[in-house]
Amino acid sequence: MQGTGETLLQLHIGRLSVGYGRRRIIEALDLPALEGGTVTALIGPNAAGKTTLLRALAGLVPAKGSIRLDDVELTGLSVAGHARHVTYMPQALPQRVALTVFEATLSALMSSRGDALSAAGAHARALDALARLGISDLAMRGLDELSGGQRQLASLAQSIVREPAVLLLDEPTSALDIHHQLRVMQLVAELVRERSIIVVIVLHDIAQAARYAQRVVVLQNGAVAADGTPEAAITPETLARVYRVEARVERCSHGFLQVIVDRAV
Ligand SMILES: Nc1ncnc2c1ncn2[C@@H]1O[C@H](COP(=O)(O)OP(=O)(O)OP(=O)(O)O)[C@@H](O)[C@H]1O
Ligand SMILES: [Mg+2]
């Protein structure tokens, strides 16, 4: 179900409602289609509902409404059915897993695509995912003996190895140093170009969102507060309304948007 140059994938989200028990977090959310070959950054304050939205798109929390990938309705599919199309990298990473980085990557691949691959092919793909993230040297290390940033990179390897049509990344760079942050963002851009997939990435770094995403969706209290190109969605007015900060949005000498926050109000 991967997009080709001619027919780009589209993910349609219509009247989506998600909550926990009786508490509604997202109510009848509509979004113009997310398109293959684009990175959408999902930003917004703590507790806005970003993780809840991604978990709903991944089929990990019950949702009402429609999540449609081209003509496949995803709501109502089993977790396994969902996982064939959508991969979600969680914000909080499991701590105590007695697998090596390579084993974890391979088992992520086998759990979604194992039936279609030879053992040698699966091994090669797992090794390739580690290489693309620059963590080949961690392959035989236990997940439980890694640093926080190394664990985050290992978790990313488990997401990208599946080659999903829709890749949902929840703050994938929160534990990374600046080199690894950019490396990951560059890899995401490469994957989107190569495979024409749909990526939705939650970020708190607004300048990074502006630089690497073609579209920015700002979520506030479970609703869309702004949606558009980085220039359209990231403005001093939106930042004041959504984040309660006085901020300037300026271009650096290379033309990239920068956000300078002067004070919290
Ligand atoms: N498992 C849960 N049970 C009940 N309420 C939850 C659960 N998970 C999240 N919530 C609530 O849902 C709301 C949205 O949380 P969510 O995790 O989606 O926010 P977020 O935008 O990802 O925030 P952050 O930037 O802090 O990660 C919050 O009010 C939170 O307390
Ligand atoms: Mg979150």
Side-chain angles (χ1 to χ4, degrees):
M1 152 93 47
Q2 246 134 277
T4 66
E6 286 157 26
T7 52
L8 283 179
L9 271 181
Q10 289 203 326
L11 185 70
H12 300 268
I13 297 166
R15 300 202 61 74
L16 189 73
S17 297
V18 195
Y20 301 99
R22 255 185 254 143
R23 187 152 164 243
R24 278 259 171 275
I25 305 296
I26 291 168
E27 186 84 60
L29 181 97
D30 288 306
L31 270 186
L34 301 172
E35 297 207 327
T38 58
V39 177
T40 299
L42 182 60
I43 67 171
N46 293 133
K50 304 179 299 295
T51 293
T52 302
L53 176 57
L54 288 204
R55 287 175 53 83
L57 297 180
L60 300 173
V61 284
K64 289 212 185 88
S66 170
I67 303 166
R68 187 163 54 78
L69 186 61
D70 286 345
D71 47 13
V72 181
E73 180 57 54
L74 299 182
T75 45
L77 287 188
S78 65
V79 172
H82 238 101
R84 267 196 288 281
H85 307 288
V86 181
T87 292
Y88 169 68
M89 175 189 162
Q91 177 175 7
L93 306 173
Q95 300 273 343
R96 308 217 142 268
V97 183
L99 291 177
T100 65
V101 171
F102 176 74
E103 287 167 341
T105 309
L106 187 63
S107 76
L109 175 59
M110 298 312 278
S111 69
S112 63
R113 301 274 293 270
D115 47 344
L117 292 166
S118 69
H123 272 66
R125 255 180 52 183
L127 288 174
D128 181 58
L130 300 183
R132 291 191 75 163
L133 282 158
I135 54 169
S136 302
D137 56 330
L138 298 181
M140 295 308 155
R141 296 271 298 278
L143 282 176
D144 54 1
E145 50 177 275
L146 300 180
S147 77
Q150 290 174 328
R151 201 154 51 228
Q152 195 162 40
L153 292 167
S155 173
L156 260 163
Q158 292 166 52
S159 298
I160 67 166
V161 75
R162 298 176 166 194
E163 302 193 359
V166 180
L167 178 60
L168 308 173
L169 303 172
D170 201 347
E171 300 192 33
T173 57
S174 60
L176 302 182
D177 65 53
I178 46 178
H179 169 88
H180 285 101
Q181 286 182 30
L182 289 205
R183 186 163 181 154
V184 164
M185 296 308 293
Q186 287 167 6
L187 175 58
V188 168
E190 265 170 46
L191 294 177
V192 163
R193 259 200 314 276
E194 281 169 18
R195 304 177 186 167
S196 294
I197 58 174
I198 293 169
V199 171
V200 183
I201 183 165
V202 174
L203 293 169
H204 280 297
D205 183 332
I206 300 171
Q208 221 161 66
R211 174 151 181 190
Y212 288 98
Q214 290 76 51
R215 176 173 170 189
V216 176
V217 174
V218 185
L219 207 62
Q220 179 184 29
N221 296 326
V224 175
D227 178 5
T229 61
E231 291 73 16
I234 301 169
T235 62
E237 294 71 32
T238 303
L239 297 175
R241 182 162 49 92
V242 173
Y243 288 96
R244 296 176 296 141
V245 292
E246 266 177 33
R248 290 168 284 148
V249 180
E250 298 178 356
R251 285 191 190 274
C252 74
S253 56
H254 289 192
F256 298 119
L257 288 190
Q258 302 294 318
V259 177
I260 303 113
V261 183
D262 292 313
R263 65 186 196 107
V265 291

